[in-house]
Amino acid sequence: MFGFIVKRLGLALLVALAVSAIAFFLLRLSGDIAVAIAGEGAQQADLDVIRKTYGLDRPLVVQYLDWLLKTLSGDFGTSIYFKTDVATLVFAKLPVTLILGVSSLAFALAISIPLGVLAAIYSNSWIDRLALAIAVFGQAMPNFFFALILVMLFSITLRWLPVSGSGTWLHYVMPTIALGYYTAPAFMRLIRAGMIEVLSADYIRTARAKGLSPYAVVITHALRNAAVPVVALTAVQLGFLLGGSVVIETIFALDGLGYLAYQSITYKDFPVMQVIVLLLSVVYVLLTLLADIANAWLDPRIRVS
């Protein structure tokens, strides 16, 4: 098990390093930082001074290595637009995105597990068809469009929920539903497929022959084994929720990393964008690593691969 963890950890570090390099070069190629700092109407002489001051006249590889060394030492630079320390700015917004991501994941699991179990128990029935229709509808409809429908219904028509902001738990209800419903179909289909396979296994037939209640057979025996692949998907989907919250946070004006990323893109705040991309990438890699370790602990056969 220790060797498996070391191997996966080394792979995770390589992936994080590669993602940081790709993100750095892509952001540099997307625009001129000197122009972003000086403004569109700046003279060439001013741009040259800015490039020399910030080291932007050096080769990109040298700039990346310098940025990487500073980042590893905890120096994330200063925001061009907000004029403040990037680390302070980013980590102040992180709790909002974490709350939204975790609550969206909990909502997705809360609706996908019962639907998946019912679809498997009543396979090829109207219940199965209804569950699959709900899954297809959630996967096909863009989450920003669903978010606008929620705003029109619960904020404008019924006036039950606030439209924007992050001051109370009510502000998270619609963003959680919009983001969580989009990820629920993947869980539902996986649980349904796993439950159908497990319910036809020999040990399930033995449990039924012993006279165990349907609840004990389904929940205690079948669901626990069918839910093993969900562990890996949960970690991956949480990373997706954290990284994919830009649109939802922008629509509902949640003051999190997603909304900060939108502002940074709008104002070409490259230092902030770079740190957000790096942070979310590292979180995603760590979540995938934890999922691999959890799966290896649950299923020893994985350690051999």
Side-chain angles (χ1 to χ4, degrees):
M1 186 68 182
F2 179 75
F4 176 85
I5 295 176
V6 172
K7 180 180 177 181
R8 285 292 189 270
L9 181 60
L11 182 61
L13 291 175
L14 290 176
V15 171
L17 184 63
V19 169
S20 70
I22 294 172
F24 182 89
F25 290 117
L26 287 179
L27 287 175
R28 288 298 187 274
L29 294 174
S30 65
D32 192 341
I33 298 180
V35 174
I37 295 175
E40 295 292 340
Q43 300 294 324
Q44 185 62 41
D46 298 329
L47 296 177
D48 293 337
V49 171
I50 291 175
R51 290 190 181 100
K52 187 173 182 60
T53 302
Y54 289 91
L56 301 175
D57 56 341
R58 298 176 297 173
L60 282 177
V61 175
V62 177
Q63 293 183 45
Y64 168 70
L65 293 176
D66 180 61
W67 172 83
L68 183 62
L69 291 175
K70 289 182 179 179
T71 301
L72 293 176
S73 64
D75 182 9
F76 296 104
T78 303
S79 168
I80 297 174
Y81 177 77
F82 296 98
K83 308 299 182 183
T84 185
D85 182 64
V86 174
T88 304
L89 181 65
V90 169
F91 287 106
K93 311 291 185 180
L94 184 59
V96 173
T97 300
L98 288 176
I99 292 173
L100 177 60
V102 173
S103 61
S104 300
L105 180 64
F107 176 78
L109 291 173
I111 64 175
S112 60
I113 291 178
L115 283 176
V117 171
L118 289 174
I121 295 175
Y122 301 100
S123 180
N124 298 321
S125 67
W126 69 269
I127 297 178
D128 187 16
R129 298 289 185 271
L130 178 61
L132 290 175
I134 294 174
V136 171
F137 183 74
Q139 196 75 62
M141 185 171 55
N143 56 8
F144 69 87
F145 180 71
F146 186 45
L148 295 177
I149 293 177
L150 293 176
V151 170
M152 292 178 61
L153 178 61
F154 293 106
S155 294
I156 299 177
T157 303
L158 299 176
R159 299 183 181 276
W160 288 353
L161 298 171
V163 178
S164 60
S166 55
T168 65
W169 67 270
L170 290 174
H171 291 88
Y172 291 90
V173 174
M174 288 191 294
T176 295
I177 295 174
L179 199 57
Y181 182 48
Y182 185 73
T183 60
F187 288 112
M188 198 279 288
R189 289 196 299 267
L190 185 62
I191 293 171
R192 176 185 179 275
M195 285 292 295
I196 290 176
E197 181 181 356
V198 170
L199 287 174
S200 62
D202 293 336
Y203 71 92
I204 294 296
R205 286 193 290 268
T206 302
R208 286 170 174 166
K210 288 181 178 180
L212 294 179
S213 65
Y215 176 85
V217 171
V218 172
I219 303 300
T220 306
H221 292 79
L223 182 59
R224 184 165 62 177
N225 290 280
V228 172
V230 178
V231 175
L233 183 61
T234 299
V236 172
Q237 290 290 60
L238 180 57
F240 168 78
L241 290 170
L242 295 176
S245 62
V246 177
V247 175
I248 296 299
E249 288 188 15
T250 303
I251 291 175
F252 293 101
L254 287 175
D255 196 17
L257 278 185
Y259 189 50
L260 178 62
Y262 168 75
Q263 292 176 305
S264 302
I265 294 171
T266 302
Y267 301 115
K268 295 181 180 180
D269 198 339
F270 289 93
V272 177
M273 282 191 288
Q274 184 67 44
V275 172
I276 290 176
V277 171
L278 177 63
L279 177 62
L280 293 177
S281 301
V282 170
V283 170
Y284 190 88
V285 170
L286 289 177
L287 289 172
T288 306
L289 174 64
L290 292 176
D292 289 341
I293 295 174
N295 281 335
W297 179 71
L298 293 171
D299 189 354
R301 294 173 297 179
I302 299 178
R303 306 174 199 171
V304 182
S305 58

